Amino acid sequence: MSPDKLVYMANQIGKFFASQGEEAAVPAIADHLVKFWDPRMRQAILAHLAEGGRGLDPVVQKAVEHLPA
């Protein structure tokens, strides 16, 4: 899956949790990615973040930073 598609999907998840406020949204987004994303997808979004994370919304970027490596 392309990084652009993963960024789009992650940002959509972030928009869903945004109403909870950043403090609650960050762990909720990370939890969702762990529960519902294939490990290869998580590794790809982590690699994208390591390359700068272009396109990730700030709250989503924080959530991705909390994913296990």
Side-chain angles (χ1 to χ4, degrees):
M1 190 171 291
S2 76
D4 289 338
K5 180 66 173 171
L6 292 172
V7 167
Y8 174 79
M9 291 170 57
N11 286 340
Q12 288 296 107
I13 294 164
K15 285 180 175 74
F16 176 81
F17 289 108
S19 65
Q20 297 179 5
E22 184 175 325
E23 197 171 307
V26 169
I29 295 164
D31 183 60
H32 182 92
L33 296 177
V34 167
K35 286 182 178 177
F36 299 106
W37 277 29
D38 183 275
R40 293 169 293 182
M41 293 169 68
R42 290 195 306 271
Q43 290 303 316
I45 200 75
L46 284 166
H48 180 72
L49 179 63
E51 294 174 0
R54 182 184 50 82
L56 287 172
D57 291 340
V59 70
V60 175
Q61 182 170 335
K62 288 180 183 179
V64 172
E65 290 169 352
H66 285 89
L67 291 177

